[in-house]
């Protein structure tokens, strides 16, 4: 077995509830802090630039997610494979998987950097971005994509560290980057009046810092997770295993984002005030969701290690505890945002028209965000067991297809902002029900076969 370092967690022995919290809460904080990069962007431009600048930054979120979700899914695949090898104690395969993951991150980041420059305007035009916003939105997107190699490097490096149980040092890297991001935002927007380009430049610099810190950490780690530049190469055997898990998860995220891009196009039809209000409220929706996602990633990692070690009863307990924690913590955080909506939304805008749309989205979507736990935790458990295609297909059907149908039918007949928003909780209930059923059927099949 791999020696347990001070930054690692022994996931296969001892009490689980405290280890899950120690792992998941820094992970949630990391995701929330990463989202704060965009939140600070929207807050600064909303208060010190214009509503059009706020809409320009906010209108890009679903498109950015669409572009990077495939590689985020692949980083999840590397986390599953490395975690399983750690559970099995196979050091040689750990090293091969780590170096393969870093090469994929670099190649994918460069690809997205180039692609983003060419498709920025055509895609934003296709999405129906308002005329008074389009030029600023294109400028923000093109600068943002200059940082893609560093964004993917951070995601892959943090997935490597998480596979050992280390979710704290990625958080520390983001704290340092977040301070830099906030400072640069204020300097470039307020002092130099750079507006949208200023917040985009600050985001790129902060991503360089966060990825650079994690690269430094991995270069100085002990075997078997130490990064060795001379060993950077693709192991096709490990890449295949990573892709089997990662590609379905990434494609799920991409299709999910396509549905959200279509929803964003519908939101755009209500004008720049609706775009700005939706963007402001979406930040709090993300914060609540990232709590769920943290426990889902915890489910993946803990399940992978315990399944690799043959600890099937612990796999069941991992699922149960993460589901409980996810519902509780997400519900509490969403409640804070709902009760304090007057204060929180004014951080992004003081425009009454913008705030009207923001409140509608907050009350409909954020209130019920905890429902996403049902499909995220069960889907994470299935991926930890080595099955990524089933949760991807269920999510595509239950959330993505349903949302596309809703936008193309109901929203055309009832052109109201709240009608667009209500599809979120509807899709969460449907997807969660299907995913829970699929998880219990898979678990029964796998554990019964393993017992035999």
């Amino acid at each position: 077995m791999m020696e347990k370092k001070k930054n690692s967690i022994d996931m296969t022995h001892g009490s689980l509830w405290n280890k899950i919290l120690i792992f998941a809460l820094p992970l949630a904080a990391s995701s929330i802090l990463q989202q704060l990069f965009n939140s600070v962007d929207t807050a600064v431009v909303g208060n010190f630039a214009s509503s059009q600048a706020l809409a320009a930054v906010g209108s890009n979120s679903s498109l950015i997610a669409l572009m990077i979700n495939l590689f985020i899914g692949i980083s999840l695949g590397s986390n599953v494979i490395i975690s399983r090898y750690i559970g099995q104690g196979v050091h040689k395969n750990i090293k091969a998987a780590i170096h393969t993951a870093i090469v994929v991150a670099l190649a994918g980041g460069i690809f997205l950097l180039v692609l983003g420059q060419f498709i920025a305007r055509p895609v934003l035009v296709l999405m129906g971005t308002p005329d008074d916003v389009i030029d600023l939105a294109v400028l923000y997107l093109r600068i943002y994509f200059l940082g893609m190699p560093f964004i993917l490097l951070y995601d892959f490096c943090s997935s490597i560290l998480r596979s050992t149980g280390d979710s704290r040092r990625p958080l520390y890297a983001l704290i340092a980057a977040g301070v830099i991001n906030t400072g640069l935002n204020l300097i470039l927007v307020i002092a130099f009046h750079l507006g949208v380009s200023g917040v985009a430049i600050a985001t790129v610099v902060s991503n360089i810092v966060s990825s650079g810190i994690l690269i430094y950490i991995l270069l100085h780690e002990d075997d078997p997770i130490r990064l060795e530049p001379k060993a950077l190469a693709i192991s096709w055997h490990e890449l295949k295993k990573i892709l089997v898990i990662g590609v379905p998860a990434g494609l799920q995220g991409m299709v999910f984002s396509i549905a959200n891009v279509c929803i964003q196009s519908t939101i755009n039809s209500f004008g720049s005030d609706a775009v700005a209000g939706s963007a402001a409220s979406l930040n709090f929706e993300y914060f609540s969701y990232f709590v769920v996602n943290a426990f889902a990633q915890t489910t993946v990692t803990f399940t992978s290690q315990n399944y690799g070690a043959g600890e099937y009863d612990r796999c069941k307990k991992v699922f149960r505890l993460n589901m409980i924690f996810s519902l509780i913590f997400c519900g509490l955080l969403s409640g804070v945002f709902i009760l304090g909506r007057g204060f929180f939304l004014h951080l992004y805008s003081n425009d009454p028209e913008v705030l009207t749309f923001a409140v509608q989205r907050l009350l409909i979507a954020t209130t019920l965000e905890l429902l996403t736990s049902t499909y995220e935790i069960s889907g994470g458990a299935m991926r930890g067991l080595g099955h990524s295609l089933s949760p991807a297909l269920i999510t595509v059907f239950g959330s993505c297809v349903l949302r596309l149908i809703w936008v193309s039918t109901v929203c055309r007949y009832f052109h109201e902002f709240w009608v667009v928003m209500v599809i979120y909780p509807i899709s969460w209930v449907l997807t969660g029900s299907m995913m829970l059923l699929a998880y219990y059927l898979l678990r029964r099949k796998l554990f019964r076969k393993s017992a035999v």
Side-chain angles (χ1 to χ4, degrees):
M1 295 293 292
M2 189 177 75
E3 179 188 353
K4 299 298 177 184
K5 310 294 192 304
K6 64 180 181 178
N7 291 301
S8 301
I9 295 176
D10 186 351
M11 302 180 189
T12 57
H13 301 88
S15 175
L16 275 171
W17 71 268
N18 56 332
K19 294 178 181 179
I20 286 174
L21 290 178
I22 290 172
F23 184 88
L25 294 181
L27 188 57
S30 296
S31 298
I32 290 172
L33 188 58
Q34 198 165 26
Q35 177 58 28
L36 279 173
F37 287 172
N38 287 333
S39 297
V40 170
D41 291 350
T42 55
V44 170
V45 296
N47 283 283
F48 299 103
S50 64
S51 294
Q52 286 73 28
L54 172 61
V57 174
S59 64
N60 277 301
S61 58
S62 57
L63 180 57
I64 290 170
L66 171 63
M67 297 284 284
I68 67 175
N69 268 339
L70 174 61
F71 294 97
I72 291 177
I74 295 173
S75 74
L76 175 65
S78 66
N79 176 274
V80 171
I81 297 303
I82 295 169
S83 296
R84 186 174 301 171
Y85 286 149
I86 291 173
Q88 296 169 345
V90 187
H91 287 201
K92 180 180 179 181
N93 291 357
I94 294 172
K95 292 181 68 68
I98 286 173
H99 289 89
T100 297
I102 296 298
V103 173
V104 170
L106 286 169
I110 294 172
F111 170 75
L112 290 179
L113 185 157
V114 175
L115 181 64
Q117 307 309 310
F118 288 99
I119 71 166
R121 181 173 290 275
V123 173
L124 287 170
V125 170
L126 186 63
M127 290 173 61
T129 305
D131 292 339
D132 59 342
V133 172
I134 184 69
D135 289 336
L136 292 175
V138 171
L139 175 62
Y140 178 83
L141 191 61
R142 284 177 172 164
I143 297 175
Y144 186 98
F145 270 88
L146 295 177
M148 274 298 161
F150 307 102
I151 292 174
L152 293 194
L153 273 175
Y154 174 84
D155 286 333
F156 276 78
C157 289
S158 60
S159 75
I160 292 169
L161 291 171
R162 287 199 305 270
S163 67
T164 70
D166 181 5
S167 60
R168 289 178 295 175
R169 287 187 289 179
L171 171 60
Y172 301 153
L174 276 179
I175 290 173
V179 171
I180 292 173
N181 182 63
T182 302
L184 282 176
N185 268 318
L186 296 173
I187 292 171
L188 296 177
V189 175
I190 299 175
F192 291 93
H193 307 289
L194 291 180
V196 164
S197 59
V199 295
I201 292 169
T203 300
V204 171
V205 172
S206 65
N207 285 319
I208 293 173
V209 171
S210 61
S211 62
I213 291 173
L214 293 194
I215 288 291
Y216 178 84
I217 288 172
L218 287 175
L219 286 171
H220 293 82
E221 277 293 297
D222 296 328
D223 282 333
I225 67 165
R226 183 171 66 243
L227 177 62
E228 299 173 357
K230 293 182 179 179
L232 284 173
I234 291 180
S235 166
W236 298 105
H237 177 71
E238 301 306 329
L239 179 61
K240 180 180 178 180
K241 289 185 175 182
I242 291 172
L243 295 180
V244 166
I245 302 294
V247 168
L251 291 176
Q252 169 193 320
M254 290 184 69
V255 176
F256 199 88
S257 295
I258 289 173
N260 286 337
V261 167
C262 293
I263 292 176
Q264 183 64 50
S265 298
T266 305
I267 293 172
N268 291 346
S269 68
F270 292 94
S272 58
D273 286 337
V275 175
S278 178
S281 180
L282 185 60
N283 286 289
F284 303 105
E285 197 174 316
Y286 278 142
F287 294 148
S288 296
Y289 169 75
F290 284 141
V291 173
V292 176
N293 186 252
F295 285 105
Q297 291 188 53
T298 303
T299 305
V300 171
T301 305
F302 275 67
T303 302
S304 299
Q305 278 209 25
N306 281 285
Y307 187 60
E311 297 287 346
Y312 307 127
D313 286 338
R314 288 177 70 85
C315 290
K316 296 178 182 179
K317 191 172 183 180
V318 164
F319 168 78
R320 185 166 59 252
L321 287 172
N322 277 289
M323 181 66 77
I324 293 171
F325 287 145
S326 179
L327 290 167
I328 292 174
F329 282 95
C330 179
L332 289 174
L333 185 58
S334 296
V336 169
F337 292 143
I338 296 300
L339 294 175
R341 58 185 180 274
F343 167 77
F344 289 114
L345 290 175
H346 276 87
L347 293 175
Y348 294 92
S349 177
N350 292 307
D351 188 322
E353 294 299 322
V354 171
L355 292 175
T356 297
F357 289 103
V359 169
Q360 286 188 57
R361 175 156 195 157
L362 195 72
L363 292 176
I364 294 172
T366 306
T367 302
L368 298 173
E369 189 71 37
L370 80 169
L371 292 175
T372 60
S373 302
T374 56
Y375 68 83
E376 288 290 351
I377 303 301
S378 49
M382 293 171 73
R383 292 189 178 94
L385 295 172
H387 290 256
S388 187
L389 183 58
S390 295
L393 293 176
I394 291 171
T395 303
V396 167
F397 175 77
S399 291
C400 307
V401 174
L402 180 62
R403 290 178 187 180
L404 291 174
I405 293 173
W406 186 272
V407 167
S408 61
T409 56
V410 177
C411 291
R412 288 190 176 183
Y413 289 100
F414 303 97
H415 194 250
E416 298 286 344
F417 186 77
W418 71 267
V419 175
V420 182
M421 293 296 105
V422 79
I423 186 54
Y424 286 109
I426 292 174
S427 63
W428 295 336
V429 170
L430 178 61
T431 307
S433 300
M434 293 190 295
M435 196 78 78
L436 284 168
L437 177 61
Y439 164 70
Y440 281 113
L441 291 175
L442 174 65
R443 190 176 79 177
R444 180 186 300 177
K445 176 184 176 182
L446 289 180
F447 293 175
R448 180 182 298 169
K449 184 185 299 184
S450 299
V452 174

